Amino acid sequence: MSLIELIEGPLWTFSATLFVIFVFWRLISILDLRRRGASPKPQGSRLAGALRALLVRFVPRPPFTRSGRVWFTTVAGYAFHLGLFVLLLAAVPHVEFIERRIAALPWEPISRTGFVIAAEISFLGLIMLYTRRFVDPLVRRINRPDDHVASLLTFIVMLTGCMALGRQSAFLRGLHMGFVELWLIYFPFSSLMHTFTWPISRLVTGWEAGRRAVRW
Amino acid sequence: MVILPHVPGAHPAAPASRTTRRSGPLLGRWLVPVGVIAALLLAVLMLASVSAQTVDAPVSVRPPEGAAPVAPPTVRAPGVPHRPLGFDAPENTLGSRSDSDIWRVLREGAAGTTAAPRPDDGMLIEGRRPPFVKTPRPEIFTRPPATGLLSDFTRADWWSRIRDAETGLPRIGGYFLGVVLAVIVLFAFIRGPIPVEGGFSGRRIRRFRLSQRVVHWSIAIVFVLMALTGLTLQLGRPFLIPLIGKEAFSVIATASMQAHNLFGPVLIVLLVLLFVTFLPGNFPSRADIVWLIKGGGFFGGHAPAGRYNLGEKGWFWTATLIGAVLGITGIIMLFPDDLGTRALLEISVFLHGAGALIVVAYLMGHIYLGTYGTEGTFEGMVTGCVDENWARTHHELWLKELEERGKIEECRE
Amino acid sequence: MSEQGAPTSTVSNVADLPEEVRLARAIDGFVAEFGPKTTAWLDSCIRCGLCAEACHFHKVDPDPKYVPINKIVPFEKAWKRHVGPVGLVRRMLGLAPRVTFEELREWEELIYDSCTMCGRCTLVCPMGIDIAELVHEARHGLFEAGLVPSRLKELDEKAHRLGSPFGTAEEMRAQVERVVREYGIDIPLDRDRADVLVTVTPTELEEKHEVLAAMARIFNHLGWDWTLRSDAFEAHNFGYLSGDMETQGKLTTRLIDTAREIGAKMLVIPECGHAWQAARWETWRWYDEPLDLEIRHVVEVLGMAVEEGRLRFEPLGKSATFHDPCQQIRRGGLDRWPRVIMEALGLEVREMTPSHETAYCCGGGGGVVAILRARELRDKVFEMKAAQFEETGADLFLTSCDTCQLTFRRGAADTGWDRQVDTLLQIMARQLVSDQPPLERQAAG
């Protein structure tokens, strides 16, 4: 079995399985809804509070809108994530791969121009956010090794993906796949888990805010 | 399942009984088995489905099963039967015909049309004088081909001569950068790191804002990436192929080209941000002349400068102006069919290659001076703060101006 | 239900234990707090650093160590290492470093001195992480390791021993009797049955006697069947502040159990922020069944009485601004009532910027006011708050929290600021219109 066959066959299966198992495992441990003591009597609607927190936190709230850091992080963050989602779910090779290996997708892949624009927006956001991890003294202070590894790994996955864009070389495709697999294995044990946990975190906090009838 | 640390010897004063209620381990008795079983079940299902699909799915690019068959090629001679895929077509060729099929078709005289309708499309690559040569030279097609390093670029085949791996820009550019590198290394050996006069004072003052640092390092990442991929493309033929062979180079080259094309527009956006964030302080001033006369302090002595010295100003304007040229020509080259005429493309390729060499040369000098070359400079761009004595050594006038206006912002960390 | 007969805390001798034992106790304390919420929050943090934008301590001192999420780093580390099976895998992959005792020692300052658990960072976090709650959880571990600022620890021990940092039941009764004599007012003390159990703060017993008298007069005026109990009068909860869960439980359950014993339907919490937090929102830690007891804040019940038209005040005709105590407003849901009361007092309300749920903390909450070495940092926050107050141009600077008031007083003394900070009840006491003669200190017998 050649290396490329290994990467695209058993290794892919292995890493994807690991990813699914541990992501589920972690989500189950969060969604453990057993009661812990009697909740204090609510003062407002918990559900409304939860929904509010879920939606309102998509944009910065006043008075924090006066902070440049808030806007920078928000705009760069959206650029990176939205671009990434387009790349991940609508790039031609990805759509082909997903349809061949996992399930049919209800949408058409985007054009090359669309892909390039999405990739550029995404890279711009990622590079500027990643740079800030080094040059902003306060972010540098709170960064964990995990944050650097997660950012760098994501960057490398995207970079190798773009390098394989010509679809001329099995080596480049294998390189990309290899890093994707590494990324998948790393994912559940790292802050990449925020992909799945952010709505839960917001809902949990919003639920408590709703109970207290405060606008968090 | 919460795992408590094991401490050798029981805790002598472990909390005996708390009024606190433990919130309990994360996964309760029933959750562990259910979670494990669910996850394993999922894993098995996935394994089964995935392996079922991977067994018969070849690794190469191929339409998904059940998809419509690929349309037969348009160039097809009568009587030649359409053959199903029964051979290893090169990757990335989606057609279902082999090379020999295609050549057979051509030999049998199939008519082809070109999709490009413009008048000079029929012209070969050669045959057009460079735009800066006014009078046609009569001996164009009679002179023997250039054999030296510097061929005659005023000839009609100037473009392909410039692109020539042996005699054109690729080789000249490589030597040029080699010489620049050698000069830098020589300077590093002779002069060593330029020290801060009077040593570090310990008092650190703000030099770069956060936005400037973010833009600087973002552009640094993209710039280096662009330089590496661009040099691979431009200098690869004379310098890389002899080292690693054509096979490996083709892989690196396609990767480089894709990355270069993709990151180009990112660099353009960042260059605009660079221009905006670094413009203040980068206008020429009288102090620049003094600085230049004193050799910039590179060869000893003290050369006073404002916020930026002449060398830095030069770098700023080089990056901006040549950056603009590289950006514009790059975009033309990205969309050759929509934006370029043949002449424009030829000039673009030339300007892009030549301009890049200048910026990369300057970049090497910048990197050297920003890291090993001068003490205390690198941290200035990382933390945004420089030592007061560093500022006095390299940007005395800037420091004085700050002092006079009471605008010194001290860094505390 | 609490085990009130549990042996008194091992607090005092923890510092003498070997470090590895103290570390183990800390981890134990952390682990006790881990739950689905902790996981949802800690899993979501990507270190964007925006919480720094909200923190008053970071605002007055840009040292990066004051970034809110940085304050819980050891807690987070322990969580990574010890949380269930994924923690096990993390350890195997080497992704989960150990917490060291040195780290805990270093973080003591961050987790106690420079966090008031005001929860402003919770508002700005794009992931919705409640850092204030995480700090509260993390304090549990640090307390178990004996890494508590000395003054906070003293107060906590006193509260544990006597049930109140103020003093014993006898001292309390003596003080109440003095108020009764001074103001000639009827205060029902230690009744066996009553509809309402009222609690007080130490300051009210020590010096703000007019507040105690006014409360008594108002409750009497409203016709309540109420009482103060010398065995359950203390609303302050230093267990909550220090992370001493045992004491927190002891104090909370004592209030609630006493209220239930005397058949009270309502427990009234005085002008204090964290007391409200502990009594109103933290009871789930100790009670499995929903409480058949209403827990109300004094500002809330008085605001309601005002709205019902049952309280009248001599209009002041001045302007005032209100400092929103974090635990009452942002984290307590009492936003409405102080404004209702101020309006009834005939005050023109001039809001500070920012105000309401986004208001800055006074800088002394969460026990910080009791930490001596935090003084410099606290005073810087005070200067910022004082400037915000001056900006409104209001005549009166009001709040409704004893701790905030104390913090402002200390800040004013330290920085030479000559303005007075009053609580709502102090103003209400002065302006109350009643059929009885105005509240004035009578010649004490």
PDB file of all heavy atoms in Angstrom, chain B residues 185-201:
ATOM      1  N   VAL B 185      25.975  39.120   4.369  1.00  0.00           N
ATOM      2  CA  VAL B 185      26.754  38.214   5.218  1.00  0.00           C
ATOM      3  C   VAL B 185      28.111  38.838   5.530  1.00  0.00           C
ATOM      4  O   VAL B 185      28.577  38.831   6.677  1.00  0.00           O
ATOM      5  CB  VAL B 185      26.917  36.839   4.529  1.00  0.00           C
ATOM      6  CG1 VAL B 185      27.935  35.981   5.285  1.00  0.00           C
ATOM      7  CG2 VAL B 185      25.579  36.137   4.445  1.00  0.00           C
ATOM      8  N   LEU B 186      28.711  39.430   4.522  1.00  0.00           N
ATOM      9  CA  LEU B 186      29.999  40.086   4.704  1.00  0.00           C
ATOM     10  C   LEU B 186      29.861  41.201   5.736  1.00  0.00           C
ATOM     11  O   LEU B 186      30.663  41.307   6.671  1.00  0.00           O
ATOM     12  CB  LEU B 186      30.462  40.663   3.356  1.00  0.00           C
ATOM     13  CG  LEU B 186      31.945  40.983   3.263  1.00  0.00           C
ATOM     14  CD1 LEU B 186      32.750  39.687   3.311  1.00  0.00           C
ATOM     15  CD2 LEU B 186      32.249  41.762   1.984  1.00  0.00           C
ATOM     16  N   PHE B 187      28.836  42.004   5.563  1.00  0.00           N
ATOM     17  CA  PHE B 187      28.603  43.111   6.500  1.00  0.00           C
ATOM     18  C   PHE B 187      28.391  42.576   7.910  1.00  0.00           C
ATOM     19  O   PHE B 187      28.906  43.125   8.887  1.00  0.00           O
ATOM     20  CB  PHE B 187      27.375  43.908   6.045  1.00  0.00           C
ATOM     21  CG  PHE B 187      27.095  45.108   6.907  1.00  0.00           C
ATOM     22  CD1 PHE B 187      27.838  46.272   6.783  1.00  0.00           C
ATOM     23  CD2 PHE B 187      26.088  45.067   7.860  1.00  0.00           C
ATOM     24  CE1 PHE B 187      27.582  47.364   7.591  1.00  0.00           C
ATOM     25  CE2 PHE B 187      25.819  46.156   8.674  1.00  0.00           C
ATOM     26  CZ  PHE B 187      26.578  47.314   8.536  1.00  0.00           C
ATOM     27  N   ALA B 188      27.636  41.473   8.002  1.00  0.00           N
ATOM     28  CA  ALA B 188      27.375  40.892   9.316  1.00  0.00           C
ATOM     29  C   ALA B 188      28.684  40.457   9.969  1.00  0.00           C
ATOM     30  O   ALA B 188      28.888  40.633  11.165  1.00  0.00           O
ATOM     31  CB  ALA B 188      26.422  39.713   9.182  1.00  0.00           C
ATOM     32  N   PHE B 189      29.582  39.886   9.161  1.00  0.00           N
ATOM     33  CA  PHE B 189      30.850  39.420   9.724  1.00  0.00           C
ATOM     34  C   PHE B 189      31.728  40.578  10.151  1.00  0.00           C
ATOM     35  O   PHE B 189      32.391  40.546  11.181  1.00  0.00           O
ATOM     36  CB  PHE B 189      31.590  38.537   8.709  1.00  0.00           C
ATOM     37  CG  PHE B 189      31.253  37.096   8.870  1.00  0.00           C
ATOM     38  CD1 PHE B 189      30.486  36.430   7.928  1.00  0.00           C
ATOM     39  CD2 PHE B 189      31.696  36.394   9.998  1.00  0.00           C
ATOM     40  CE1 PHE B 189      30.158  35.096   8.088  1.00  0.00           C
ATOM     41  CE2 PHE B 189      31.373  35.068  10.170  1.00  0.00           C
ATOM     42  CZ  PHE B 189      30.603  34.407   9.210  1.00  0.00           C
ATOM     43  N   ILE B 190      31.752  41.608   9.317  1.00  0.00           N
ATOM     44  CA  ILE B 190      32.655  42.727   9.608  1.00  0.00           C
ATOM     45  C   ILE B 190      32.111  43.597  10.729  1.00  0.00           C
ATOM     46  O   ILE B 190      32.775  43.872  11.719  1.00  0.00           O
ATOM     47  CB  ILE B 190      32.867  43.570   8.333  1.00  0.00           C
ATOM     48  CG1 ILE B 190      33.615  42.729   7.285  1.00  0.00           C
ATOM     49  CG2 ILE B 190      33.661  44.829   8.666  1.00  0.00           C
ATOM     50  CD1 ILE B 190      33.669  43.376   5.933  1.00  0.00           C
ATOM     51  N   ARG B 191      30.867  43.983  10.602  1.00  0.00           N
ATOM     52  CA  ARG B 191      30.321  44.970  11.530  1.00  0.00           C
ATOM     53  C   ARG B 191      29.658  44.311  12.746  1.00  0.00           C
ATOM     54  O   ARG B 191      29.676  44.845  13.841  1.00  0.00           O
ATOM     55  CB  ARG B 191      29.297  45.840  10.778  1.00  0.00           C
ATOM     56  CG  ARG B 191      28.672  46.941  11.596  1.00  0.00           C
ATOM     57  CD  ARG B 191      29.626  48.127  11.762  1.00  0.00           C
ATOM     58  NE  ARG B 191      28.911  49.334  12.115  1.00  0.00           N
ATOM     59  CZ  ARG B 191      28.759  49.774  13.374  1.00  0.00           C
ATOM     60  NH1 ARG B 191      29.286  49.094  14.359  1.00  0.00           N
ATOM     61  NH2 ARG B 191      28.098  50.891  13.606  1.00  0.00           N
ATOM     62  N   GLY B 192      29.065  43.155  12.515  1.00  0.00           N
ATOM     63  CA  GLY B 192      28.335  42.516  13.621  1.00  0.00           C
ATOM     64  C   GLY B 192      27.085  43.318  13.939  1.00  0.00           C
ATOM     65  O   GLY B 192      26.765  44.294  13.262  1.00  0.00           O
ATOM     66  N   PRO B 193      26.390  42.921  14.998  1.00  0.00           N
ATOM     67  CA  PRO B 193      25.184  43.677  15.364  1.00  0.00           C
ATOM     68  C   PRO B 193      25.549  45.088  15.796  1.00  0.00           C
ATOM     69  O   PRO B 193      26.515  45.281  16.525  1.00  0.00           O
ATOM     70  CB  PRO B 193      24.630  42.892  16.559  1.00  0.00           C
ATOM     71  CG  PRO B 193      25.348  41.593  16.566  1.00  0.00           C
ATOM     72  CD  PRO B 193      26.640  41.797  15.891  1.00  0.00           C
ATOM     73  N   ILE B 194      24.817  46.053  15.307  1.00  0.00           N
ATOM     74  CA  ILE B 194      25.080  47.441  15.695  1.00  0.00           C
ATOM     75  C   ILE B 194      24.536  47.650  17.102  1.00  0.00           C
ATOM     76  O   ILE B 194      23.342  47.463  17.340  1.00  0.00           O
ATOM     77  CB  ILE B 194      24.413  48.417  14.706  1.00  0.00           C
ATOM     78  CG1 ILE B 194      25.009  48.217  13.307  1.00  0.00           C
ATOM     79  CG2 ILE B 194      24.599  49.862  15.167  1.00  0.00           C
ATOM     80  CD1 ILE B 194      24.321  48.985  12.213  1.00  0.00           C
ATOM     81  N   PRO B 195      25.411  47.997  18.042  1.00  0.00           N
ATOM     82  CA  PRO B 195      24.960  48.066  19.433  1.00  0.00           C
ATOM     83  C   PRO B 195      24.167  49.335  19.730  1.00  0.00           C
ATOM     84  O   PRO B 195      24.216  50.308  18.979  1.00  0.00           O
ATOM     85  CB  PRO B 195      26.265  48.039  20.222  1.00  0.00           C
ATOM     86  CG  PRO B 195      27.273  48.615  19.293  1.00  0.00           C
ATOM     87  CD  PRO B 195      26.831  48.328  17.903  1.00  0.00           C
ATOM     88  N   VAL B 196      23.450  49.272  20.826  1.00  0.00           N
ATOM     89  CA  VAL B 196      22.754  50.454  21.312  1.00  0.00           C
ATOM     90  C   VAL B 196      23.763  51.311  22.063  1.00  0.00           C
ATOM     91  O   VAL B 196      24.461  50.821  22.949  1.00  0.00           O
ATOM     92  CB  VAL B 196      21.600  50.039  22.258  1.00  0.00           C
ATOM     93  CG1 VAL B 196      21.048  51.249  23.000  1.00  0.00           C
ATOM     94  CG2 VAL B 196      20.508  49.348  21.481  1.00  0.00           C
ATOM     95  N   GLU B 197      23.863  52.569  21.685  1.00  0.00           N
ATOM     96  CA  GLU B 197      24.846  53.448  22.321  1.00  0.00           C
ATOM     97  C   GLU B 197      24.499  53.632  23.792  1.00  0.00           C
ATOM     98  O   GLU B 197      23.387  54.028  24.128  1.00  0.00           O
ATOM     99  CB  GLU B 197      24.868  54.814  21.609  1.00  0.00           C
ATOM    100  CG  GLU B 197      25.507  54.738  20.234  1.00  0.00           C
ATOM    101  CD  GLU B 197      25.162  55.949  19.378  1.00  0.00           C
ATOM    102  OE1 GLU B 197      24.762  56.982  19.946  1.00  0.00           O
ATOM    103  OE2 GLU B 197      25.278  55.842  18.142  1.00  0.00           O
ATOM    104  N   GLY B 198      25.457  53.309  24.630  1.00  0.00           N
ATOM    105  CA  GLY B 198      25.239  53.475  26.073  1.00  0.00           C
ATOM    106  C   GLY B 198      24.498  52.301  26.691  1.00  0.00           C
ATOM    107  O   GLY B 198      24.121  52.358  27.857  1.00  0.00           O
ATOM    108  N   GLY B 199      24.257  51.257  25.908  1.00  0.00           N
ATOM    109  CA  GLY B 199      23.591  50.081  26.458  1.00  0.00           C
ATOM    110  C   GLY B 199      22.107  50.323  26.706  1.00  0.00           C
ATOM    111  O   GLY B 199      21.603  51.445  26.574  1.00  0.00           O
ATOM    112  N   PHE B 200      21.405  49.256  27.078  1.00  0.00           N
ATOM    113  CA  PHE B 200      19.968  49.379  27.314  1.00  0.00           C
ATOM    114  C   PHE B 200      19.704  50.126  28.619  1.00  0.00           C
ATOM    115  O   PHE B 200      20.311  49.841  29.640  1.00  0.00           O
ATOM    116  CB  PHE B 200      19.324  47.988  27.366  1.00  0.00           C
ATOM    117  CG  PHE B 200      19.252  47.324  26.024  1.00  0.00           C
ATOM    118  CD1 PHE B 200      20.267  46.490  25.583  1.00  0.00           C
ATOM    119  CD2 PHE B 200      18.174  47.558  25.191  1.00  0.00           C
ATOM    120  CE1 PHE B 200      20.202  45.896  24.334  1.00  0.00           C
ATOM    121  CE2 PHE B 200      18.098  46.957  23.947  1.00  0.00           C
ATOM    122  CZ  PHE B 200      19.124  46.126  23.512  1.00  0.00           C
ATOM    123  N   SER B 201      18.799  51.068  28.543  1.00  0.00           N
ATOM    124  CA  SER B 201      18.528  51.881  29.731  1.00  0.00           C
ATOM    125  C   SER B 201      17.486  51.225  30.620  1.00  0.00           C
ATOM    126  O   SER B 201      17.385  51.523  31.794  1.00  0.00           O
ATOM    127  CB  SER B 201      18.022  53.253  29.314  1.00  0.00           C
ATOM    128  OG  SER B 201      16.719  53.127  28.762  1.00  0.00           O
TER     129      SER B 201
END
